[in-house]
Amino acid sequence: MCIDVRKTCECGAASVQFHLRDNVMSPEVIRRVFCPSCPGNTTLSPEEMLPDNGWVIEYDMTLARLLAKEKLALPANAVTPALLFDEGYACWLEMYPGEREAIQEERESLLRLRKQDQATYLRAISSWNIERVNRLKASGWRKALRA
C-alpha cells in the first residue's frame, strides 16, 4: 500500500507530494520543506537537509537512521539525506515539485496527436520525454540527474 505523503512548505506557498520507496520510511521522516519563496533565514544543515534546485527538504535523521537500521540493516553512518532522496526512500513524487501541472498542456497536445497519427505520436512522445529530462538535467533537478 502506498501512503500519500504531502507537505506544505514553511511559507505556505506550495504543497508537494513525496514518494516513500517500499514504505521503508514513515512520512514523519520528512520534517520540513522549504520552497524557493520561503524566507532565506534557514541555515542549510547538510547533516539533515538536502537542497534541490532552490528547494530544501529537512529530514528527521534520527528516525530515518532507526528505520533504515530496522528495515534495511544499514549502519547509521550510511544513512544521509542524499541516500534518502537519491535512492527514493523519501523524494519528490515527480521529477520536481509541480511537474504534473507544469507539463499538462504539453501532454494534452501530444494526446491530441495520438488520435490523428499513432506512429507520429509514438515518435513525438519519445522525443518529448527525452528532451524534457535533458532540460530538467540542465536545470539541475536532482532526480532528473539520476534518470
Side-chain angles (χ1 to χ4, degrees):
M1 174 174 85
C2 290
I3 300 171
D4 183 26
V5 180
R6 295 174 191 260
K7 294 283 184 179
T8 300
C9 68
E10 286 298 295
C11 74
S15 178
V16 295
Q17 251 183 307
F18 284 86
H19 169 73
L20 301 177
R21 176 180 158 196
D22 302 328
N23 293 324
V24 170
M25 297 293 148
S26 67
E28 295 78 20
V29 164
I30 303 162
R31 186 178 286 153
R32 297 186 297 171
V33 177
F34 301 88
C35 78
S37 298
C38 285
N41 58 4
T42 300
T43 304
L44 186 68
S45 169
E47 297 82 29
E48 54 189 28
M49 298 171 125
L50 181 116
D52 188 22
N53 210 9
W55 289 76
V56 176
I57 305 167
E58 180 182 19
Y59 295 103
D60 180 337
M61 294 306 297
T62 302
L63 178 58
R65 288 184 177 107
L66 176 76
L67 292 170
K69 179 181 179 185
E70 188 178 285
K71 297 180 178 182
L72 300 171
L74 287 177
N77 63 348
V79 183
T80 64
L83 175 111
L84 294 176
F85 190 92
D86 294 340
E87 297 303 319
Y89 292 114
C91 64
W92 312 128
L93 177 64
E94 304 158 311
M95 288 285 217
Y96 63 91
E99 178 186 27
R100 188 175 322 155
E101 295 81 13
I103 65 172
Q104 187 63 32
E105 188 176 315
E106 293 175 37
R107 289 186 62 194
E108 287 173 6
S109 172
L110 288 167
L111 289 174
R112 285 191 296 274
L113 182 59
R114 181 179 70 183
K115 294 175 184 175
Q116 298 167 0
D117 182 349
Q118 187 73 27
T120 303
Y121 163 75
L122 290 174
R123 285 190 300 276
I125 193 83
S126 177
S127 64
W128 170 73
N129 196 44
I130 291 167
E131 290 167 8
R132 184 179 66 82
V133 170
N134 286 337
R135 280 193 315 268
L136 295 175
K137 285 180 181 182
S139 295
W141 288 104
R142 191 174 182 105
K143 202 168 177 183
L145 292 170
R146 297 185 51 87

